[in-house]
């Protein structure tokens, strides 16, 4: 395990380091297509979200209408899947400890997730499964064939390819299932008080904690029903939750990735603007965004450094994004050796091709 270098937060009162060409290309948000993150809600969860009084605007009426219509279909599909497969899901044992990819947003967690999931010995949540966590075992095969054409070819915040079957972060599924997620900020833009307690989960009520833990466990069980292999989960929010994750999965392994903070800040601002525009229920509200991004960045590092010692020796590997980008095969070899994952001879050719 390597040591995380001392990082310096960007100061918004003074100019940032010069932007790279890729950062400049990110300045104008792109569209994410017809779907938004709320289209996976059930009708009951949609009503709970509306009861929290998120800011709305008449220009979002088409989105609000489509969310309502799909929420009714999702409720039916969830009930149907529960009736058919609920018993099997409940009985499913998690025989293989999951692997959690940690790191602040825009630190390279997606690249690392994509590389690790090239290995056929692992499974992972894809975009469809995190958007429709309540019924994907029942509906994924048919729905993805019928709707794949409506997805954009790349993600709106960068040029990474997208598709129903490509790896995606499980935090989206936890949001859809519970609303107990920092991503609730997409509905309550400009009001971090609505979401700040959903990072490390320490301020959740006992009922909320039970719901959150139950949702994650059910989701991992469903992924295991689909493919009984170790699940590789990637969610920057999990960087705040090492104690909870170890309580739930004592044998879990972790990979932590970090990146130049100036690049993280610039890309993080673009990410926020894009997601706020494409997933809001009203007009985008960017007020206080700069300071909030910096506060979350500082909290993420402080929480990780304070809790990483809880991970037993041999089950945490740290790496730097710039080094992974420059030498993906060499860096991934170190991940496999450090965590004792095995199967490197089989996965190395896939990484060289990728």
């Amino acid at each position: 395990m390597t040591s995380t270098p001392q990082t310096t937060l960007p100061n918004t009162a003074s100019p940032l380091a010069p932007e790279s060409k890729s950062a400049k290309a990110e300045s104008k948000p792109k569209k994410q297509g017809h779907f938004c993150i709320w289209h996976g809600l059930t009708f009951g969860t949609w009503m709970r979200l509306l009861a929290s009084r998120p800011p709305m605007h008449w220009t979002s009426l088409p989105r609000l209408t489509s969310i309502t219509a799909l929420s009714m279909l999702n409720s039916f599909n969830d009930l149907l899947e529960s009736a058919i497969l609920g018993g099997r899901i409940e009985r499913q044992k998690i025989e293989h400890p999951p692997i959690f990819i940690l790191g602040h947003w825009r630190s390279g967690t997606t690249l690392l997730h994509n590389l690790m999931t090239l290995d056929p010995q692992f499974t992972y949540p894809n975009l469809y499964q995190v958007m429709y966590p309540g019924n994907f075992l029942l509906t994924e095969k048919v729905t993805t064939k019928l709707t794949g054409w409506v997805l954009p070819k790349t993600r709106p915040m960068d040029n990474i390819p997208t598709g129903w079957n490509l790896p995606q972060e499980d935090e989206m599924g936890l949001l859809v299932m519970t609303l107990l997620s920092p991503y609730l900020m997409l509905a309550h833009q400009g009001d971090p008080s609505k979401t700040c307690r959903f990072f490390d989960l320490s301020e959740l009520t006992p009922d909320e904690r039970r719901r959150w833990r139950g949702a994650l466990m059910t989701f991992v069980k469903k992924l295991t029903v689909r493919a009984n292999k170790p699940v590789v989960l990637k969610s920057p929010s999990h960087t705040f939750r090492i104690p909870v994750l170890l309580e739930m999965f004592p044998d879990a392994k972790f990979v932590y990735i970090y990146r130049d903070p100036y690049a993280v800040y610039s890309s993080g601002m673009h990410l926020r603007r894009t997601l706020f525009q494409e997933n809001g229920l009203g007009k985008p509200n960017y007020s206080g965004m700069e300071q909030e991004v910096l506060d979350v960045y500082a909290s993420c590092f402080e929480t990780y450094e304070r809790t990483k010692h809880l991970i037993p020796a041999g089950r945490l590997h740290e790496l730097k994004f710039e080094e992974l980008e420059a030498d993906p095969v060499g860096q991934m070899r170190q991940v496999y050796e450090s965590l004792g994952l095995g199967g490197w001879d089989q996965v190395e050719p896939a990484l060289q091709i990728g």
Side-chain angles (χ1 to χ4, degrees), residues 334-351:
Q334 291 184 32
V335 171
Y336 274 65
E337 292 175 352
S338 176
L339 299 180
L341 298 180
W344 174 251
D345 291 341
Q346 286 71 41
V347 73
E348 184 178 12
L351 291 170

Side-chain angles (χ1 to χ4, degrees), residues 86-343:
R88 180 181 176 186
I89 295 168
E90 181 64 28
R91 293 188 301 270
Q92 179 65 51
K93 303 296 184 182
I94 301 175
E95 301 171 356
H96 310 284
I99 300 171
F100 290 96
I101 293 176
L102 310 178
H104 191 276
W105 292 264
R106 315 308 293 159
S107 291
T109 57
T110 296
L111 172 61
L112 181 56
H113 199 204
N114 288 343
L115 290 175
M116 289 202 68
T117 53
L118 288 174
D119 189 340
Q121 72 172 310
F122 301 131
T123 189
Y124 56 88
N126 62 34
L127 177 60
Y128 186 85
Q129 292 158 4
V130 301
M131 277 199 65
Y132 301 98
N135 60 68
F136 68 81
L137 289 176
L138 187 68
T139 62
E140 180 178 8
K141 183 176 294 186
V142 173
T143 305
T144 53
K145 289 181 179 179
L146 295 176
T147 61
W149 64 274
V150 303
L151 295 178
K153 293 183 178 180
T154 59
R155 303 193 311 179
M157 71 288 292
D158 49 38
N159 290 319
I160 294 178
T162 189
W164 284 130
N165 65 327
L166 295 181
Q168 188 54 261
E169 61 182 270
D170 56 295
E171 189 69 30
M172 289 175 59
L174 294 172
L175 171 68
V176 169
M177 298 169 80
T178 68
L179 299 181
L180 304 174
S181 167
Y183 292 179
L184 192 64
M185 71 175 66
L186 300 175
H188 290 281
Q189 299 178 12
D191 186 2
S193 67
K194 295 280 189 179
T195 59
C196 60
R197 64 195 186 96
F198 298 140
F199 285 98
D200 69 9
L201 311 178
S202 62
E203 297 182 16
L204 296 188
T205 67
D207 179 65
E208 288 174 331
R209 190 173 298 111
R210 177 190 59 78
R211 286 170 48 212
W212 189 92
R213 291 169 66 110
L216 178 58
M217 186 63 72
T218 297
F219 189 63
V220 174
K221 284 185 174 183
K222 291 180 69 171
L223 293 172
T224 306
V225 167
R226 178 178 173 272
N228 196 352
K229 303 176 181 180
V231 182
V232 181
L233 297 170
K234 186 273 288 193
S235 173
S237 303
H238 288 331
T239 311
F240 295 82
R241 303 166 180 161
I242 290 173
V244 177
L245 298 177
L246 285 173
E247 287 178 8
M248 296 180 64
F249 307 101
D251 297 323
K253 297 182 179 183
F254 299 83
V255 187
Y256 173 79
I257 188 168
Y258 55 92
R259 184 185 184 186
D260 171 67
Y262 288 99
V264 170
Y265 176 81
S266 176
S267 188
M269 289 296 296
H270 171 75
L271 171 69
R272 287 284 188 99
R273 294 189 188 99
T274 302
L275 293 180
F276 275 28
Q277 176 176 299
E278 292 298 297
N279 296 277
L281 304 177
K283 289 186 174 181
N285 181 357
Y286 307 131
S287 62
M289 181 179 291
E290 293 86 353
Q291 189 59 50
E292 185 186 356
V293 168
L294 291 174
D295 290 344
V296 171
Y297 184 88
S299 178
C300 183
F301 276 94
E302 291 167 1
T303 303
Y304 173 74
E305 292 296 331
R306 188 177 68 250
T307 59
K308 71 177 184 178
H309 73 278
L310 299 173
I311 303 173
R315 291 207 261 124
L316 169 65
H317 182 81
E318 299 177 338
L319 72 160
K320 188 175 182 180
F321 167 76
E322 287 81 2
E323 294 176 356
L324 178 64
E325 188 177 42
D327 181 20
V329 175
Q331 289 296 309
M332 291 303 297
R333 181 186 294 110
Q334 291 184 32
V335 171
Y336 274 65
E337 292 175 352
S338 176
L339 299 180
L341 298 180

